[in-house]
Amino acid sequence: MIELPVDLPAELVPLSWLIGVWEGSGVIDYKVGDESITHEFGQRVSFSHDGLPHLNYTSYTWLFPEEPDGDPRPLATETGYWRIERPLGEGDPGPALLPAVGENRYPDAESVETLRNATGGFDLEVSLVHPGGVAELYLGQVKGPRIDLATDAVMRTAGAKDYAAATRLYGLVEGHLLWAWDIAALGQDLRTHASARLAKVD
């Protein structure tokens, strides 16, 4: 059963099943040329909200040791924001630190229902930042306990590794958060990269 926080903005109800801290393990399996890169990893993911109509997201991953007495190795972090896609208006803060000057256009379930797309889901915008000089903007949709995302834009600094595009799939299955991530990187076309199964721990 999903319990909704009492202060949850109405726009976040379609994403409410994500809220919490999730932890588990997964597998990296990415082929570069004739070489296959394969590792097991652990992951801790957090989805939270601060009263604004978006979810805050953080992810931390680590490689499991290859030796029985070895230590886990830090692997990657990413942080970002998830929100239902809609035009921002006077009732929304920004740009920068400018406060909202109008009424919230989506204060309740009835008004949020007007945002449903033609397939019965809600369009999403997800922006993610990686410390290695990569920023991603994903577009997609949430429909029930399933999320499909694909990059609309990828920005890289001059020193970042080659990373051109990605898709991500998330689903709630028997109380677990499952995800799969395909990437186009290091000169390869879009292909399987990693997947994981996470359990809610908080």
Side-chain angles (χ1 to χ4, degrees):
M1 172 184 272
I2 298 172
E3 294 185 15
L4 300 181
V6 294
D7 57 346
L8 186 70
E11 290 175 61
L12 295 183
V13 171
L15 295 169
S16 60
W17 53 272
L18 289 169
I19 295 174
V21 179
W22 304 80
E23 192 167 306
S25 62
V27 175
I28 304 160
D29 189 6
Y30 190 62
K31 192 169 184 182
V32 180
D34 294 328
E35 179 186 359
S36 185
I37 301 167
T38 306
H39 292 283
E40 290 186 58
F41 66 90
Q43 183 182 32
R44 185 175 179 89
V45 167
S46 171
F47 289 94
S48 63
H49 80 95
D50 50 19
L52 293 171
H54 62 261
L55 290 182
N56 304 305
Y57 164 84
T58 59
S59 167
Y60 171 69
T61 54
W62 59 92
L63 289 177
F64 289 135
E66 296 180 7
E67 302 298 326
D69 58 348
D71 294 322
R73 279 190 349 217
L75 177 59
T77 61
E78 58 183 12
T79 188
Y81 305 95
W82 298 51
R83 75 178 192 96
I84 301 295
E85 192 281 322
R86 64 165 177 82
L88 297 179
E90 291 185 348
D92 298 293
L97 297 180
L98 298 177
V101 294
E103 294 297 319
N104 178 4
R105 293 173 54 200
Y106 303 96
D108 52 37
E110 184 177 354
S111 57
V112 172
E113 279 297 311
T114 66
L115 296 172
R116 280 197 187 270
N117 60 29
T119 67
F122 293 90
D123 294 330
L124 288 181
E125 290 180 4
V126 175
S127 53
L128 301 179
V129 178
H130 307 259
V134 172
E136 303 171 271
L137 173 63
Y138 286 89
L139 301 180
Q141 78 163 355
V142 55
K143 189 173 182 180
R146 177 184 169 124
I147 294 171
D148 294 272
L149 300 170
T151 47
D152 183 59
V154 174
M155 294 179 290
R156 293 180 290 141
T157 61
K161 290 186 177 182
D162 176 44
Y163 182 87
T167 63
R168 300 193 191 207
L169 168 67
Y170 295 80
L172 187 64
V173 180
E174 297 177 347
H176 287 80
L177 179 61
L178 276 61
W179 63 257
W181 184 6
D182 294 355
I183 64 172
L186 305 179
Q188 310 302 301
D189 56 6
L190 191 67
R191 60 186 61 186
T192 299
H193 165 56
S195 60
R197 183 183 186 99
L198 311 177
K200 189 175 260 190
V201 296
D202 188 15

